[in-house]
Amino acid sequence: YTSSVAAGSVAAGLNMPMSVRVGPGGTEYVGVWIDFNKNGLFETTEFTALGSGNGVTISGTVPIPVTATTGLTRMRIRVRFNTALTGADACIAYTYGETEDYAINITPCVVGSISAQPTNKSISCGNSTTFTVTAAGTGLTYQWQERANASAPWTIVNNGGIYSGATTATLTLTGVSVASTGRQFQVAIGGPCTPLFL
């Protein structure tokens, strides 16, 4: 299927979700190889065991290394009856199962950058507000932090109470009380190719 099915894309450094439907009749094992270094071989280090089942959809994730060579490469999916697959089984013969190859496009892992910082807010008691950061990069993660004043230590914000969106680009405060006066907020951003930064 390398030419008859359009290549999917995934960024280096991310976990690619994958689902494979296997037929009934016995336990089937699913394995995935991706030629990350584009040397034309499926090596044991390029293998992921997706799982096993009988007449079900087997779902899992395939980790794409940050060091994967970008561009089009080959992915192999194998289903084998009654025997688990290992990294050395990309080309072995077996009696019952199926092997399919696809093209996959590995895109670069983009280092995160912030284009707009959160801004100061002034609101009345009982009202709501948001703090938003605008950032771009591959697989970015967010964790908001707060402190009571400029000399207090930073603590992690968790969802609950007045807070929601604690691990997103927008932190929402709902029904703010006078106890929040003077509080400061910042967000820590990271990713597979982005060292944690504020």
Side-chain angles (χ1 to χ4, degrees), residues 15-133:
N15 288 326
M16 178 179 68
M18 179 174 286
S19 295
V20 176
R21 175 79 181 168
V22 296
T27 301
E28 307 278 0
Y29 292 84
V30 180
V32 181
W33 290 259
I34 298 176
D35 186 10
F36 292 126
N37 58 11
K38 296 175 70 171
N39 68 350
L41 304 172
F42 290 121
E43 298 162 316
T44 58
T45 56
E46 298 172 329
F47 169 75
T48 301
L50 203 62
S52 62
N54 180 356
V56 297
T57 298
I58 298 169
S59 298
T61 58
V62 178
I64 310 299
V66 172
T67 56
T69 303
T70 58
L72 284 175
T73 192
R74 186 176 292 252
M75 173 176 66
R76 175 163 293 171
I77 301 169
R78 300 195 92 185
V79 177
R80 185 178 187 183
F81 172 70
N82 206 33
T83 305
L85 290 158
T86 71
D89 296 337
C91 300
I92 67 162
Y94 46 77
T95 305
Y96 300 107
E98 186 169 353
T99 301
E100 297 178 0
D101 284 5
Y102 297 88
I104 186 166
N105 183 37
I106 299 176
T107 59
C109 191
V110 178
V111 176
S113 62
I114 295 175
S115 57
Q117 295 279 356
T119 58
N120 292 334
K121 298 291 178 78
S122 235
I123 61 168
S124 301
C125 285
N127 287 342
S128 302
T129 192
T130 60
F131 294 97
T132 299
V133 63

Side-chain angles (χ1 to χ4, degrees), residues 149-171:
N149 55 58
S151 60
W154 290 102
T155 60
I156 291 174
V157 174
N158 292 304
N159 290 326
I162 66 169
Y163 301 118
S164 61
T167 56
T168 70
T170 298
L171 176 67

Side-chain angles (χ1 to χ4, degrees), residues 169-185:
T170 298
L171 176 67
T172 300
L173 284 66
T174 305
V176 177
S177 72
V178 68
S180 294
T181 300
R183 286 203 174 267
Q184 298 179 344
F185 297 90

